[in-house]
Amino acid sequence: MLIAQISDLHLRPPGVPAYGVAETNAFAENAINALLRLRPAPELVVLTGDATDCGLPEEFALLTTLLDRLPMPVFCVPGNHDRREAMRAALAPKGYLPADGALDFVVEMRPVRLIGLDSLWEGHSAGRLEPASLDFLAAALAAAPDVPTVVAVHHPPFVCGIGHMDRIRLLDGAARFAAIVAANPQVERVITGHHHRPVAVRFAGTICQIAPSVAHQVTLNLAPGAPSDFVLEPPAFLLHQWIEGTGLVTHQAYVQRAPGPFPFVMPAEYPGGG
Ligand SMILES: [Fe+2]
Ligand SMILES: [Fe+2]
């Protein structure tokens, strides 16, 4: 089973770059093309939030147009840049989001289940998991304690060392979220976006993995007081492959095509043999 994770598209109305410089609509188009080129094709795609930059209806219209180019199902959790009701309305035809309340959902597939959680805290950049979402998570995990599960949520629940992002991580509900994950060893991975960088950590007895953005990246600056800014490093995404006997293996893939592949033609003096 192969799951592609894309994150933080930050779509804008047509012709409007994000922050005046990031051509996020073009970046998103490139990401869709990269997903379409993958062989084998992923069975599903998870978008871990900030699908749009401002949650505008025209941004969500662009999102659905782009995602409809993909032949496999796509599941989205909201980010702080999205708007809950606009997202619910735009994605209602897909049928996996609830009709009201938080945009939490379960995708019952095998060998790995997917749980999506809504950490959008209206009026804040930081994240919040409301008690109802945490109850939803606990109940969903209790329903299948033996099935490996991926939990997708936009806001990372840990401190990563980039101060301006740490201040807007998952804050409200984070302790109970960690407790629920810790009590459910079938949680194979917590996958997030928001930080626009690939980061992994041991978290609550599992692995928490932040995806890079398929658009702009947050500057890698671990100095205290680092300014809040971004760079146009190569856009990337994650591929999570379930391998029986190993578990979920995560690869980072780049959106842009690169030269190659080239064969490993070994020089005669190579010491490793044939
Ligand atoms: Fe973002
Ligand atoms: Fe975000």
Side-chain angles (χ1 to χ4, degrees):
M1 177 176 218
L2 190 59
I3 302 171
Q5 181 190 0
I6 59 173
S7 203
D8 294 86
L9 279 59
H10 288 260
L11 295 171
R12 294 257 52 207
V16 181
Y19 314 108
V21 268
E23 297 284 356
T24 51
N25 296 354
F27 283 134
E29 180 106 38
N30 294 343
I32 299 298
N33 291 338
L35 292 174
L36 287 168
R37 285 197 302 270
L38 288 172
R39 294 293 180 276
E43 277 127 294
L44 74 155
V45 175
V46 183
L47 197 171
T48 40
D50 288 354
T52 68
D53 198 48
C54 295
L56 302 176
E58 58 262 54
E59 295 171 350
F60 277 110
L62 181 55
L63 176 73
T64 53
T65 300
L66 284 168
L67 297 185
D68 283 348
R69 291 182 52 210
L70 294 170
M72 67 291 284
V74 183
F75 300 97
C76 305
V77 296
N80 52 299
H81 283 260
D82 300 313
R83 293 184 199 214
R84 185 173 288 116
E85 296 314 320
M87 189 168 191
R88 193 194 315 274
L91 300 181
K94 307 298 178 192
Y96 66 91
L97 292 177
D100 51 37
L103 301 174
D104 304 320
F105 59 89
V106 183
V107 182
E108 287 296 355
M109 51 186 189
R110 298 292 186 271
V112 181
R113 293 167 93 215
L114 172 68
I115 298 175
L117 295 178
D118 177 347
S119 60
L120 195 166
W121 187 359
E122 286 187 357
H124 297 260
S125 296
R128 165 190 216 170
L129 286 173
E130 297 221 32
S133 291
L134 292 163
D135 291 345
F136 177 90
L137 173 66
L141 289 169
D146 299 322
V147 182
T149 302
V150 172
V151 177
V153 61
H154 178 64
H155 291 82
F158 65 95
V159 171
C160 78
I162 301 176
H164 62 96
M165 297 308 296
D166 286 335
R167 285 190 286 280
I168 57 170
R169 70 188 188 278
L170 180 68
L171 293 178
D172 200 69
R176 190 174 161 218
F177 176 66
I180 294 169
V181 171
N184 286 276
Q186 79 272 32
V187 177
E188 183 77 15
R189 194 79 90 252
V190 173
I191 60 172
T192 84
H194 190 51
H195 283 8
H196 293 234
R197 293 214 67 80
V199 183
V201 72
R202 182 172 67 175
F203 169 77
T206 187
I207 296 164
C208 182
Q209 174 79 52
I210 307 175
S213 171
V214 295
H216 49 289
Q217 313 300 323
V218 166
T219 310
L220 178 55
N221 186 342
L222 301 174
S228 173
D229 51 24
F230 65 92
V231 289
L232 296 177
E233 287 175 348
F237 60 98
L238 300 178
L239 284 172
H240 306 285
Q241 184 178 29
W242 179 260
I243 299 177
E244 211 57 53
T246 296
L248 199 67
V249 180
T250 298
H251 298 265
Q252 177 165 313
Y254 292 94
V255 168
Q256 290 168 295
R257 289 175 188 268
F262 307 103
F264 286 108
V265 179
M266 297 302 186
E269 58 269 37
Y270 169 62

